[in-house]
Amino acid sequence: MDAIQTRLASYAHGLSVVDIPPATLHAARVRVIDTLGAVLGGFDDECNRVARAVAMDTPLASSAAGATLLGTSFKAPVDVAAFVNATASRSAEINDVYHAPGSKNGHPSDVITPLLAVAETAHANGRDLLTAVVLAYEIYLRLANGFTNRAFDATNFCGIAVAAASAKLMGLSQEQIAEALAMAAVPNGALNQSRTGHLTMWKSVASGQAGRAGVFAARLAAKGMCGASEPFTGRHGWNANIARSEVKLAELGGANTPFRIDDTLIKPRMACLHTLAPILAAEKAAAKLKGRLHDVTAVSVEVYRANERAVVSVDKTGGHDPHWNPDSRETADHSVPYCVAATLLDGTVSPNSFDEAHLKSPVLRQLLDVTELKENTSFTHAYEKHPVEYRCRVNVRLKSGEAVVGETGGEHGDLSDAKSDAEISAKFRSFAEVLLGAARTSALLEQLWAMDVMRDVSVVPPMLAFG
């Protein structure tokens, strides 16, 4: 075993709920609720229909081995359920996101539904599930910090984190957790091509694949399978070939070291992180336009530039950048100009903002044609410092010469501002009530907010079933 593998296995095996402050357990509970809402919000997306169809063709070796495909009463092998449910939680682009200066951006909540599948089959209690969530977030975020190789996807962190936390939920030994880590790290190098150029449904499915890989690694370890030696620090290991640098884990959460789960951002809208500030700024501009959309002659969007990915190319030459001419939902919800145009059109973004009617809307396309992006270096500086500020200014010029401006970030209200429990519940209701009804949604929320005293979390998946 290598030093990183040993350290992570020892930490995972030793972490107890008594080591986790109540506020941190609450942060985990918030993210579980937020992620289950995302599952319902993305349930009917095409990638989720395909994933469920594959799962339903997969026979169970025994009924005891099954975990629920969330939103249904159907059970599949636990790693298959992890695949389906993690895909579903990711597809709506509404689950939480992480950014810190010098870190790899990603979606740590990808770990939650795979862990719920394992907890369901293990009949774990709520405190054990929340402990596993805090653990998985801690591993994910510590690996993300300082990771600079843009060729590899952040879902690599998910697979490793899920492997360790799943093994803990299954009651495995420290040695078995170490083997699970090796079997997650070495065989599963996810490439960032999933999030480059024209985007497809694999943008979401990559999260499901990572969750499946982590759960499967833990299952293998439980039966005595051994992974590769020196998975992180070996000559051809994870550090040398995926991180492309020496991974130096900071002090892990516990004792006097804060856990990192509080550092993730709860999304207020269905879209990529880098489109959220432009959407919020465009909402303010849209409220001032008051039916004068056809009088718009120019839209200038002042944005920050992200280190990991240029927010979007400012050069529209030839229309080669798919962000300026999106033809899929996955590309559109990653496009700043599209999201700004859709917001000016409808007042905000919703699931309908990325449907075929909007993708082909002449009015929306006309807005795209008169839109330009400009990097505001002060906004970039705010994005690159700690605490992070997500600043954007949308300037709309009308035929009369009037300028309409919407601005967000910092003193204008920031994307990173903490969300109240009431806001988390309201967001969950926005997805759940249309499928479950108001009464069932209220009962479900009551159960979820009390998850830390839940004796067996296997009661949760049936409460989400509607299809």
Side-chain angles (χ1 to χ4, degrees):
M1 296 185 190
D2 63 41
I4 293 175
Q5 179 188 20
T6 300
R7 184 178 175 196
L8 290 178
S10 174
Y11 177 74
H13 187 260
L15 185 66
S16 168
V17 70
V18 300
D19 302 319
I20 304 174
T24 302
L25 285 177
H26 183 73
R29 191 163 49 234
V30 163
R31 282 151 182 82
V32 170
I33 294 170
D34 191 62
T35 301
L36 293 179
V39 170
L40 298 176
F43 185 83
D44 282 328
D45 290 348
E46 184 180 5
C47 60
N48 300 325
R49 294 197 300 270
V50 173
R52 284 194 298 273
V54 171
M56 290 178 179
D57 285 341
T58 306
L60 277 174
S62 70
S63 59
T68 302
L69 307 185
L70 297 177
T72 79
S73 57
F74 190 90
K75 290 192 174 185
V78 62
D79 53 310
V80 176
F83 169 77
V84 173
N85 295 337
T87 298
S89 71
R90 182 71 187 86
S91 66
E93 271 293 344
I94 196 64
N95 59 328
D96 79 352
V97 65
Y98 177 67
H99 164 71
S103 72
K104 176 82 170 177
N105 291 358
H107 299 270
S109 51
D110 287 347
V111 306
I112 288 176
T113 54
L115 295 180
L116 177 58
V118 174
E120 177 188 0
T121 59
H123 294 279
N125 63 43
R127 288 164 71 86
D128 287 341
L129 173 59
L130 294 175
T131 300
V133 169
V134 171
L135 168 63
Y137 266 72
E138 192 69 9
I139 293 174
Y140 185 115
L141 296 172
R142 298 295 181 180
L143 289 174
N145 287 341
F147 188 103
T148 58
N149 187 353
R150 300 179 187 178
F152 283 89
D153 191 14
T155 56
N156 287 291
F157 313 141
C158 173
I160 293 169
V162 167
S166 295
K168 183 176 182 65
L169 278 169
M170 295 163 64
L172 302 192
S173 68
Q174 181 175 324
E175 291 73 20
Q176 289 171 309
I177 295 174
E179 298 296 353
L181 285 165
M183 288 184 281
V186 172
N188 300 293
L191 300 175
N192 210 43
Q193 190 60 28
S194 302
R195 310 183 198 286
T196 303
H198 172 79
L199 304 186
T200 72
M201 63 178 73
W202 194 260
K203 178 197 74 176
S204 303
V205 181
S207 298
Q209 176 67 10
R212 184 208 64 80
V215 172
F216 190 61
R219 292 186 67 198
L220 289 172
K223 296 298 184 183
M225 187 70 74
C226 294
S229 63
E230 298 183 302
F232 291 95
T233 62
R235 179 182 176 189
H236 298 295
W238 199 83
N239 291 10
N241 295 280
I242 293 182
R244 297 286 179 89
S245 63
E246 181 182 357
V247 174
K248 296 180 180 179
L249 290 173
E251 195 68 29
L252 295 163
N256 296 320
T257 302
F259 291 88
R260 295 306 300 268
I261 190 169
D262 265 321
D263 295 337
T264 69
L265 185 151
I266 303 293
K267 284 186 176 182
R269 303 288 184 271
M270 280 183 169
C272 167
L273 169 64
H274 298 314
T275 68
L276 293 178
I279 289 169
L280 296 178
E283 287 177 353
K284 295 180 179 181
K288 301 173 184 177
L289 286 173
K290 298 178 181 178
R292 295 179 291 169
L293 201 61
H294 291 286
D295 293 332
V296 172
T297 59
V299 179
S300 176
V301 186
E302 297 176 54
V303 292
Y304 62 82
R305 183 172 292 275
N307 286 333
E308 183 170 327
R309 182 195 302 119
V311 172
V312 64
S313 172
V314 297
D315 181 10
K316 291 190 283 187
T317 304
H320 297 304
D321 188 329
H323 292 90
W324 286 101
N325 187 29
D327 59 0
S328 70
R329 179 256 174 84
E330 291 83 2
T331 304
D333 66 26
H334 274 54
S335 164
V336 170
Y338 181 93
C339 286
V340 168
T343 302
L344 293 176
L345 179 64
D346 294 336
T348 188
V349 293
S350 69
N352 294 335
S353 301
F354 309 106
D355 61 17
E356 282 297 306
H358 279 76
L359 287 170
K360 297 178 180 178
S361 165
V363 178
L364 196 153
R365 291 287 170 173
Q366 183 178 4
L367 285 170
L368 277 175
D369 288 342
V370 298
T371 297
E372 65 173 357
L373 300 189
K374 297 179 179 179
E375 179 187 0
N376 184 312
T377 55
S378 68
F379 293 178
T380 298
H381 176 71
Y383 174 78
E384 292 175 344
K385 71 181 183 65
H386 184 80
V388 177
E389 292 180 0
Y390 299 87
R391 291 180 174 269
C392 180
R393 185 182 296 121
V394 173
N395 307 279
V396 181
R397 180 70 61 179
L398 303 179
K399 290 177 182 178
S400 64
E402 179 186 353
V404 173
V405 180
E407 188 165 357
T408 190
E411 67 277 10
H412 300 283
D414 202 89
L415 183 61
S416 61
D417 292 343
K419 310 298 186 295
S420 68
D421 289 355
E423 289 174 309
I424 298 299
S425 289
K427 180 181 172 183
F428 182 88
R429 287 182 183 279
S430 71
F431 301 120
E433 286 189 353
V434 70
L435 302 173
L436 305 177
R440 282 188 64 191
T441 299
S442 294
L444 177 55
L445 276 170
E446 184 177 356
Q447 292 279 337
L448 293 175
W449 281 119
M451 183 174 293
D452 54 326
V453 297
M454 195 175 286
R455 293 182 178 180
D456 185 344
V457 298
S458 66
V459 302
V460 171
M463 290 191 287
L464 290 160
F466 65 90

